[in-house]
């Protein structure tokens, strides 16, 4: 036994999302999804949603902006949309899953593209080819003893639901989502135990992620409310149809520190923390917290809650709490009001931490802190469902990819996680690294921000052979899993 030994049965794996990984956007009967209109970008050039404006001319908005009056999402031949091909898991899934199995993964998190199952979201019957595709993916995982961990809705939706109903701003989405869930449970329920109803609920916004055309706090929190209700309905149905199933939802979890010990900074940090935990508070504790009144009053939100909604949230909370952890944030009272609900954008520079080339502070101890904080607050099993390092990887002259920086990042985070489990006795059931095979970055749409143990030969404009090449970190990770952390 070493100091960093992980418990037997710990779930080790990787995580992906359909529109960043899968491609095949016009194959197998898949409908257009809301992410299909988002162009590539870079760290200083925001991704754009391409539009047809009311007068028929071409326009764009970035993913955080409100659509101009009368504008509609529209694709153009000369624009590059990374979701269309992504890195083509659609045709590489057997090869990719075999690589994950070779590393010893016993869990694989992937998301289902809603419009592959219901192309518009409003059909009476699902698209059989879509059902078959994920059925094959699940079987391929099980063949190697890998548990599928399915994200039902990862930051996307059938475009028709966005265009026609204003996405999650409409209660119609609740019914469409529950119908979609029923189809998934009917078809995969005997083979899948772990589910996530939504991805990063505290980081949703705009057309591409939740189908709304307007970016106001009112729309944002109303859409959230509909997602809370939809999630509880899915949990109710899931437990009924699949005894033993476990439901979580995923949160973007940046640990937060006050910029100084000035009381104002400490209190601003505390408030910001609660604002980011608000979403888990509702879903894990099953009720709106007292401090929601203050948030809604400050932001001018007047929530429409229908009869029965609150009872539903209370009756069907999450079974486990899962989150992504990439970084921490530093908060000062001076900029408090400009921070986003996730508490990442608008944070201060932390002089004690180094950052990634994309400006994300690297903070392994923050992961131990998060694990402790979340267990203290919710007393539910925890699952780290995203963590990893986005970096520029180069193929060396020897044809290999040497990525010691990734090994260091992961090893430091694994040690912090082991300390939370072994020393602090936090029940953390698993870890899925983002993303075991290189894929398209969500925020920037780039390929060169690479996370994988496996390199994919493709550039920022989608050119390349798509060949998969193991990086040095691949063998290291294999050893971590085989020894249960013995090599840390
Ligand atoms: C999370 C998302 C993922 C993923 C990750 C890394 O917010 O759930 O979809 O992309 O962040 O972010 P990025 O790809 O921008 O580096």
């Amino acid at each position: 036994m070493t100091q960093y030994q992980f418990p037997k049965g710990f779930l080790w794996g990787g995580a992906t999302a359909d529109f960043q990984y899968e491609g095949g956007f016009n194959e197998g009967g898949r409908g257009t999804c809301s992410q299909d209109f988002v162009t590539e970008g870079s760290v200083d050039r925001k991704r754009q949603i391409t539009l047809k404006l009311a007068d028929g001319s071409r326009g764009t908005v970035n993913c955080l902006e409100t659509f101009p009056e009368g504008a509609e999402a529209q694709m153009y031949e000369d624009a590059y949309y990374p979701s269309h091909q992504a890195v083509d898991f659609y045709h590489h899934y057997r090869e990719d899953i075999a690589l994950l199995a070779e590393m010893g993964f016993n869990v694989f998190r992937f998301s289902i593209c809603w419009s592959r199952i219901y192309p518009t979201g409003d059909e009476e019957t699902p698209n059989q080819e879509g059902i078959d595709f994920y059925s094959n993916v699940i079987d391929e995982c099980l063949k190697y003893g890998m548990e599928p961990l399915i994200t039902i809705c990862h930051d996307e939706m059938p475009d028709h639901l966005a265009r026609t109903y204003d996405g999650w701003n409409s209660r119609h989405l609740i019914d469409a989502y529950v119908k979609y869930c029923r189809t998934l449970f009917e078809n995969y329920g005997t083979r899948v135990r772990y589910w996530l109803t939504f991805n990063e609920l505290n980081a949703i916004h705009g057309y591409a992620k939740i189908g709304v055309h307007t970016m106001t706090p009112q729309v944002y929190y109303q859409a959230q409310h509909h997602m809370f209700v939809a999630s509880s309905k899915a949990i109710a149905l899931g437990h009924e149809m699949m005894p033993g199933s476990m439901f979580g939802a995923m949160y973007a979890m940046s640990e937060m520190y006050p910029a100084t010990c000035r009381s104002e900074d400490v209190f601003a940090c505390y408030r910001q923390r609660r604002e980011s935990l608000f979403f888990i508070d509702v879903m894990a504790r099953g009720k709106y917290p007292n401090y929601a009144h203050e948030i809604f009053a400050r932001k001018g939100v007047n929530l429409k809650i229908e009869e029965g909604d609150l009872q539903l949230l209370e009756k069907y909370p999450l079974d486990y709490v899962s989150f992504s952890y990439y970084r921490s944030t530093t908060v000062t009272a001076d900029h408090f009001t400009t921070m986003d609900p996730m508490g990442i954008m608008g944070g201060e520079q932390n002089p004690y931490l180094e950052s990634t080339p994309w400006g994300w502070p690297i903070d392994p101890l923050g992961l131990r802190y998060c694990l402790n904080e979340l267990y203290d607050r919710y007393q539910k099993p925890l699952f780290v469902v995203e963590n990893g390092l986005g970096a520029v990887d180069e193929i060396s002259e020897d044809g290999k990819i040497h990525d010691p920086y990734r090994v260091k990042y992961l090893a430091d985070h694994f040690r912090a996680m082991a300390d939370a489990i072994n020393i602090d006795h936090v029940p953390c059931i698993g870890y899925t690294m983002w993303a075991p095979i290189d894929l398209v970055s969500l925020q920037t749409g780039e390929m060169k921000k690479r996370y994988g143990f496996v390199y994919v030969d493709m550039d920022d404009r989608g050119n390349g052979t798509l060949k998969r090449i193991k990086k040095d970190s691949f063998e290291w990770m294999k050893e971590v899993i085989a020894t249960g952390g013995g090599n840390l």
Side-chain angles (χ1 to χ4, degrees), residues 113-142:
C113 178
W114 188 344
S115 59
R116 205 178 272 295
I117 304 295
Y118 283 100
T120 69
D122 272 343
E123 292 84 355
E124 289 295 316
T125 48
N127 167 35
Q128 191 57 45
E129 268 189 89
I131 292 178
D132 293 346
F133 171 66
Y134 295 109
S135 190
N136 292 338
V137 169
I138 292 167
D139 282 346
E140 205 62 19
C141 290
L142 296 176

Side-chain angles (χ1 to χ4, degrees), residues 447-458:
M447 229 2 244
K448 74 163 184 281
K449 188 180 187 186
R450 295 173 180 274
Y451 283 90
F453 297 118
V454 176
Y455 184 92
V456 175
D457 176 32
M458 191 182 112

Side-chain angles (χ1 to χ4, degrees), residues 16-17 19-20 109 154-155 199-200 203 209 250 252 324 326 342 358 360 386 390 434 439-446 449 451:
T16 61
F19 64 92
Q20 297 169 262
R109 174 182 174 220
H154 190 122
D155 300 353
N199 184 62
E200 291 192 341
K209 285 190 173 184
M250 196 276 225
S324 65
Y326 291 92
M342 172 171 54
W358 277 265
W360 293 12
E386 279 184 36
W434 183 272
L439 42 65
V440 177
S441 156
L442 174 75
Q443 220 172 52
T444 67
E446 293 166 300
K449 188 180 187 186
Y451 283 90

Side-chain angles (χ1 to χ4, degrees), residues 114-381:
W114 188 344
S115 59
R116 205 178 272 295
I117 304 295
Y118 283 100
T120 69
D122 272 343
E123 292 84 355
E124 289 295 316
T125 48
N127 167 35
Q128 191 57 45
E129 268 189 89
I131 292 178
D132 293 346
F133 171 66
Y134 295 109
S135 190
N136 292 338
V137 169
I138 292 167
D139 282 346
E140 205 62 19
C141 290
L142 296 176
K143 181 169 117 185
Y144 297 106
M146 227 182 277
E147 292 241 21
L149 163 60
I150 292 186
T151 317
I152 296 172
C153 182
H154 190 122
D155 300 353
E156 53 91 28
M157 60 172 40
D159 180 57
H160 166 82
L161 295 180
R163 198 173 285 268
T164 317
Y165 303 101
D166 201 28
W168 281 103
N169 196 25
S170 160
R171 278 192 85 94
H172 176 75
L173 270 279
I174 300 175
D175 295 338
Y177 177 85
V178 172
K179 176 184 67 181
Y180 162 54
C181 287
R182 181 183 292 280
T183 300
L184 302 187
F185 302 161
E186 269 165 10
N187 285 281
Y188 311 136
T190 54
R191 290 174 285 167
V192 179
R193 186 158 50 133
Y194 290 103
W195 300 86
L196 295 167
T197 54
F198 291 104
N199 184 62
E200 291 192 341
L201 268 154
N202 52 342
I204 55 155
H205 46 70
Y207 191 83
K209 285 190 173 184
I210 54 167
V212 300
H213 296 72
T214 325
M215 285 287 292
T216 61
Q218 174 64 35
V219 168
Y220 178 84
Y221 284 97
Q222 190 63 55
Q224 287 287 353
H225 178 72
H226 296 152
M227 294 167 97
F228 293 154
V229 173
S231 177
S232 282
K233 285 194 168 193
I235 295 172
L237 186 69
H239 284 170
E240 184 194 312
M241 293 176 67
M242 310 177 291
S245 55
M246 296 276 286
F247 281 81
M250 196 276 225
Y251 304 89
M253 206 44 58
S254 159
E255 196 44 81
M256 284 177 201
Y257 309 123
T260 71
C261 55
R262 186 166 64 122
S263 312
E264 285 78 6
D265 287 344
V266 175
F267 189 58
C269 182
Y270 180 70
R271 287 175 78 191
Q272 182 65 49
R273 187 60 176 156
R274 287 203 308 197
E275 199 163 324
S276 109
L277 292 177
F278 162 77
F279 309 90
I280 324 187
D281 278 358
V282 176
M283 297 176 83
R285 305 202 289 211
K287 45 169 130 7
Y288 276 87
N290 57 307
Y291 63 81
H293 293 290
E294 188 275 325
I295 297 178
F296 293 162
R298 172 160 40 94
K299 299 191 173 188
V301 174
N302 186 7
L303 223 50
K304 284 187 228 75
I305 296 179
E306 286 195 1
E307 215 186 311
D309 285 0
L310 297 181
Q311 289 76 354
L312 203 68
L313 301 187
E314 191 153 9
K315 201 157 169 210
Y316 301 105
L318 302 174
D319 299 318
Y320 62 97
V321 169
S322 60
F323 63 98
S324 65
Y325 178 82
Y326 291 92
R327 51 170 292 164
S328 57
T329 307
T330 305
V331 182
T332 144
D334 305 336
H335 301 150
F336 169 62
T337 50
T338 57
M339 290 188 76
D340 66 307
M342 172 171 54
I344 288 181
M345 285 182 281
E348 301 302 298
Q349 202 64 33
N350 184 335
Y352 301 102
L353 299 175
E354 285 182 14
S355 292
T356 72
W358 277 265
W360 293 12
I362 301 174
D363 184 9
L365 186 56
L367 175 57
R368 179 172 174 187
Y369 188 169
C370 265
L371 285 159
N372 275 279
E373 185 189 17
L374 295 177
Y375 191 63
D376 283 352
R377 199 171 177 102
Y378 304 113
Q379 300 283 300
K380 295 194 188 240

